[in-house]
Amino acid sequence: MGGNQTWITEVTLLGFQIEPALEFFLFGLFSLLYMLTLLGNGVILGLICLDTRLHTPMYFFLSHLAIVDMSYASNNVPKMLTNLVNKKTTISFIPCIMQTFLYLAFAATECLILLVMSYDRYVAICHPLRYTVIMSWRGCIVLAVSSWVFSFFLALVHLILILRLPFCGPHEINHFFCEVLSVLKLACADTWLNQVVIFAGCVFVLVGPLCLVLFSYSRILVAILRIQSGEGRRKAFSTCSSHLCVVGLFFGSAIIMYMAPTSRHPEEQQKILFLFYSFVNPMLNPLIYSLRNAEVKGALRRALWKAMPM
């Protein structure tokens, strides 16, 4: 095959093979969802930056979650929207590989940020007297930076393993973006090593963190049940239940996509799961945290009050 030569210069993203009228409808719908994702996460990020009452470890990690959600959606959605209204749905090979790299990096970062947020809630509820010592600003920065660095390093490993493969066709990806498993189907060599590393990565960034999150919240549940104050118990339940909603949606859909048997999930069903992963999760995160969190709603009211002309 001439070594590790890459023969493909561009590929076609098949996307959604539907009627043109429906494509314009989906373009409008997905554009709206994308704008809501950017707006919601942007508002959360702005409130956390501007309101000093939200300068706490929990909202520090929430700001990172908002950045990840906006970055993740911006990596996948614009090209998909362009392809819905453009008859030419090709993408150059190098941008395609970069899209794969960033997709893997942002997805892994979100997994680790959610894990760190669960640890923050565990310390706050189970060890309140030691919270300021354990969750110091130095410790929070180390946890956040480590999550980003490890995620991009893991994505770089996947990228290197992909680039070692010879790509000679087919020239079509049956997806709306360059998802890693779809890209591997373009290779004209054995991809068993890539498959093994992907599965191992899923164990490290999906199964492992999910088990730790569930362990943290089992301890949190026991601690909450011991709280004598009804108001304190209600506040703790409200904060933790919103986090569990985000965790369940994110980890559940990711595990189904990458660790469930592929024979049970044809490619069209996988596209639907990725739509949920690309739109619903990033859009719901700010809604869940804002609607179920009194501090965020209070910060929003204060920001709107300051913005109103006297």
Side-chain angles (χ1 to χ4, degrees), residues 132-171:
T132 55
V133 176
I134 297 175
M135 301 304 296
S136 64
W137 278 114
R138 180 179 179 180
C140 292
I141 293 173
V142 169
L143 287 173
V145 171
S146 299
S147 299
W148 284 93
V149 171
F150 176 80
S151 300
F152 273 80
F153 174 77
L154 182 61
L156 182 61
V157 171
H158 289 296
L159 178 66
I160 293 173
L161 291 177
I162 290 174
L163 293 178
R164 59 177 273 277
L165 297 170
F167 291 91
C168 52
H171 293 244

Side-chain angles (χ1 to χ4, degrees), residues 198-211:
I198 288 173
F199 185 83
C202 289
V203 172
F204 278 107
V205 301
L206 287 177
V207 178
L210 180 60
C211 292

Side-chain angles (χ1 to χ4, degrees), residues 100 103-104 158 162 178-185 198 258:
T100 303
Y103 155 73
L104 292 170
H158 289 296
I162 290 174
C178 293
E179 190 268 331
V180 59
L181 296 180
S182 299
V183 171
L184 289 179
K185 294 180 181 179
I198 288 173
Y258 285 103

Side-chain angles (χ1 to χ4, degrees), residues 38-55:
L38 296 182
L39 178 62
N41 285 285
V43 167
I44 291 292
L45 184 61
L47 289 176
I48 293 173
C49 293
L50 296 176
D51 198 309
T52 56
R53 301 184 190 183
L54 300 183
H55 291 178

Side-chain angles (χ1 to χ4, degrees), residues 36-219:
L36 290 176
T37 297
L38 296 182
L39 178 62
N41 285 285
V43 167
I44 291 292
L45 184 61
L47 289 176
I48 293 173
C49 293
L50 296 176
D51 198 309
T52 56
R53 301 184 190 183
L54 300 183
H55 291 178
T56 63
M58 184 177 87
Y59 296 107
F60 171 72
F61 294 126
L62 181 57
S63 67
H64 282 267
L65 184 63
I67 293 173
V68 172
D69 282 335
M70 289 189 292
S71 302
Y72 178 84
S74 297
N75 180 55
N76 301 335
V77 175
K79 182 61 178 176
M80 183 190 67
L81 294 176
T82 302
N83 290 344
L84 281 173
V85 295
N86 192 351
K87 292 183 178 180
K88 185 180 180 182
T89 60
T90 58
I91 181 173
S92 299
F93 187 76
I94 296 302
C96 179
I97 293 298
M98 287 304 301
Q99 192 179 55
T100 303
F101 169 74
L102 292 175
Y103 155 73
L104 292 170
F106 292 137
T109 303
E110 182 151 358
C111 292
L112 297 180
I113 291 295
L114 289 174
L115 171 61
V116 171
M117 291 176 69
S118 71
Y119 177 69
D120 171 75
R121 291 300 86 205
Y122 164 75
V123 175
I125 294 175
C126 298
H127 303 284
L129 299 180
R130 301 171 55 195
Y131 179 75
T132 55
V133 176
I134 297 175
M135 301 304 296
S136 64
W137 278 114
R138 180 179 179 180
C140 292
I141 293 173
V142 169
L143 287 173
V145 171
S146 299
S147 299
W148 284 93
V149 171
F150 176 80
S151 300
F152 273 80
F153 174 77
L154 182 61
L156 182 61
V157 171
H158 289 296
L159 178 66
I160 293 173
L161 291 177
I162 290 174
L163 293 178
R164 59 177 273 277
L165 297 170
F167 291 91
C168 52
H171 293 244
E172 295 178 342
I173 293 179
N174 190 15
H175 219 300
F176 55 84
F177 78 106
C178 293
E179 190 268 331
V180 59
L181 296 180
S182 299
V183 171
L184 289 179
K185 294 180 181 179
L186 303 177
C188 48
D190 192 0
T191 61
W192 69 271
L193 180 58
N194 299 76
Q195 301 285 350
V196 169
V197 173
I198 288 173
F199 185 83
C202 289
V203 172
F204 278 107
V205 301
L206 287 177
V207 178
L210 180 60
C211 292
L212 292 175
V213 168
L214 294 178
F215 173 77
S216 297
Y217 277 96
S218 65
R219 299 292 299 272

